[in-house]
Every structure is written in C-alpha cells, then in structure tokens.
C-alpha cells in the first residue's frame, strides 16, 4: 500500500499564496480529516492532492512515483475525487450517474461488463439509493444527490479517495452513514482524505487530522493529539471543550476567544 506525501506544497493565485509550504502524509489504510476555518486552503490542498492542480512549488508523491508523472487515465483508475457542491445538469438516471464513476475502467467499445453492473447495484445499496435507481438526477433533493455522488466516487473501489465536504446537505442519519462507509473503505485499505466542517463526525471516523489555517499547517497527527481544547481553540478562535467518554468524543464551541 502506498502513502500520498506532500512536501513543501505551495499554491499561488495571482499574487496571493493560498497554500503555504504544506507538508503532510496521508497514509494508506487510514482516514485523514482535513479541517480548518473557511478560507484556510482545504479545497485547494485537496485539488493538489488529487493531481488536478499542479502546485506552484513543492512535491506530491504517491508511493515512489511523482503524481505529475502519472497519466490522467492512470490516476482516474486508481483515484476518485469528489469536489464540493457537485452537480448534475442532465436528466439522466441515478443509475447512470453512478455508472459514470466507472468510465476510466471501461473498454473503449462495447457495453458495460456484467461484473461492473453488479458493482453499480452494490454502490446503490451502500448509499440507500436502490429505490431511486431510475429517477432523473435532476429531480433529487440536495441530500439525495450528495449520496449519489458518493456512490459514483466509490463504485470503482479506488485506492485513493479524496472527498470535499461529503456530508453537506445530508440529514444526520445519512451523514453518519456516509461517514461509516468512508471509514469502512479506509479499513479495507483505501487511502481516504476528507475535508470536513463537522468535527464531531471527524472525531468519530478519522485516524489522523491535518488542520489548516491561513494556508499553513496549524497542527497534524492522530486525531487524539489534534482534537484538544488548545489546538481547536486556536484554530477557530473560539473557546473549545473536548470531552471523551465511553460513547465517543464530544466537541463544544462557546464564545469567540478574546
């Protein structure tokens, strides 16, 4: 299994540095939550980690190979990326949207192999979508569409999965379920990177955390080391109380810090 490693990654847009000399390791078989306030650079960092945005400086390697040396097809067959606020503009069925996640795996000609058809069914079941199989994607609620996009991202069983705010728009039940599914992918050996604002969910599912502030790494490490009163309080400029008991971790934000 191969780790994804960022070394001194910097991203400039115009004259503004959006990501500033970030180094981070995303370990295979572990789920890493990327957290931080709005504008911290999380989405940009995920774009770099996915190979969609070349950094202005620094390196990105997957195993022993630079990410930039891989072809788009090689990346697409091994890595899945789900950006924020994904949309579907055409009135195609939910089943067809999920099938698009297999595009890089399919032969140039011919229909969908039976084995891949079975995977689509599994992905639909996994995200509670079987009853919506034939519904046009343009007729879905925001939460339903979010689940469809997660199914599309995971149907190909990628080695590396990068997801930006996957639970936005989901009700509590489906948010917890989506988190559980991502956790299972990591347990099965996938390298999972998830940007999250929901810190309670991050505490529930993550092994490791990379906390960004102003484009820089504010803290990183195992979730127990990063999710502390001091670290989270300084990250978000609020008073934080982190409590752990037999039922898990509870995070409470109060008034902004002076």
């Amino acid at each position: 299994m191969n780790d994804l490693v960022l070394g001194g990654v910097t991203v400039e847009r115009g004259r503004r540095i959006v990501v500033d000399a970030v180094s981070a390791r995303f370990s295979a078989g572990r789920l890493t939550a990327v957290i931080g306030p709005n504008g911290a650079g999380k989405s940009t960092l995920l774009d770099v980690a996915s190979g969609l945005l070349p950094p202005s400086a620094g390196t990105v390697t997957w195993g022993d190979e630079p990410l930039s040396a891989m072809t788009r097809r090689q990346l697409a067959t091994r890595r899945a990326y789900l950006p924020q606020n994904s949309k579907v503009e055409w009135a195609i069925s939910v089943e067809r949207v999920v099938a698009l996640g297999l595009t890089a795996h399919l032969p140039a000609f011919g229909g969908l192999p039976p084995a891949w058809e079975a995977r689509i069914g599994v992905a639909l079941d996994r995200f509670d979508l079987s009853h919506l199989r034939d519904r046009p994607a343009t007729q879905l609620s925001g939460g339903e569409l979010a689940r469809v996009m997660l199914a599309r991202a995971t149907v190909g069983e990628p080695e590396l999965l990068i997801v930006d705010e996957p639970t936005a728009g989901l009700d509590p039940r489906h948010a917890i379920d989506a988190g559980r599914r991502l956790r299972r992918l990591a347990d099965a050996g996938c390298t999972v990177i998830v940007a999250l604002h929901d810190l309670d969910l991050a505490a529930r599912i993550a092994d490791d955390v990379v906390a960004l502030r102003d484009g820089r790494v504010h803290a990183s490490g195992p979730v127990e080391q990063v999710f502390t009163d001091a670290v989270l309080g300084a990250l978000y400029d609020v008073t934080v109380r982190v409590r752990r008991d037999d039922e898990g971790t509870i995070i409470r934000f109060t008034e902004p810090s002076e």
Side-chain angles (χ1 to χ4, degrees):
M1 291 189 288
N2 298 318
D3 294 352
L4 181 72
V5 181
L6 278 59
V9 165
T10 295
V11 177
E12 297 183 27
R13 287 182 173 165
R15 296 183 178 180
R16 187 167 68 96
I17 296 178
V18 182
V19 173
D20 190 1
V22 168
S23 294
R25 177 179 293 271
F26 301 100
S27 298
R30 293 176 73 83
L31 190 154
T32 302
V34 179
I35 67 169
N38 292 333
K42 300 185 296 297
S43 294
T44 301
L45 188 70
L46 265 57
D47 285 343
V48 172
S50 70
L52 297 176
L53 176 67
S56 305
T59 60
V60 184
T61 57
W62 191 5
D64 297 326
E65 187 174 7
L67 211 62
S68 59
M70 301 179 68
T71 67
R72 290 187 177 183
R73 184 173 181 84
Q74 286 175 325
L75 269 177
T77 55
R78 298 178 60 195
R79 178 268 292 141
Y81 176 57
L82 181 58
Q84 271 191 74
N85 303 319
S86 297
K87 297 180 180 179
V88 176
E89 304 291 347
W90 304 280
I92 59 176
S93 70
V94 165
E95 182 178 53
R96 282 290 184 179
V97 174
V98 174
L100 289 173
L102 298 173
T103 301
H105 300 269
L106 301 180
F109 302 99
L112 190 68
W116 291 111
E117 289 184 359
R119 286 200 186 184
I120 293 170
V122 170
L124 291 168
D125 288 341
R126 181 186 296 157
F127 290 99
D128 192 20
L129 294 167
S130 294
H131 65 294
L132 299 174
R133 178 189 295 264
D134 297 319
R135 181 177 295 181
T138 50
Q139 296 179 14
L140 300 174
S141 69
E144 289 168 342
L145 182 59
R147 283 154 46 210
V148 170
M149 291 305 186
L150 278 169
R152 187 184 74 173
T154 58
V155 67
E157 299 181 4
E159 298 172 50
L160 170 65
L161 175 63
I162 301 175
V163 190
D164 196 352
E165 290 296 337
T167 59
L170 294 183
D171 60 53
R173 173 201 162 194
H174 286 107
I176 292 171
D177 186 64
R180 186 184 298 118
R181 300 296 180 182
L182 294 171
R183 176 68 261 166
R184 288 179 182 173
L185 287 169
D187 290 340
C190 184
T191 305
V192 181
I193 307 171
V194 187
L196 283 171
H197 279 299
D198 186 341
L199 298 188
D200 288 312
L201 182 62
R204 182 192 297 259
I205 67 174
D207 299 298
D208 304 308
V209 178
V210 174
L212 297 180
R213 180 183 170 108
D214 298 326
R216 299 177 180 176
V217 175
H218 175 79
S220 65
V223 63
E224 297 84 2
Q225 293 181 11
V226 177
F227 278 26
T228 66
D229 297 0
V231 172
L232 294 181
L235 179 65
Y236 291 102
D237 286 327
V238 294
T239 300
V240 179
R241 294 290 179 266
V242 180
R243 296 293 177 263
R244 295 180 175 89
D245 57 30
D246 293 339
E247 296 184 358
T249 301
I250 299 174
I251 301 169
R252 291 290 178 264
F253 294 89
T254 57
E255 73 281 356
S257 300
E258 297 296 336

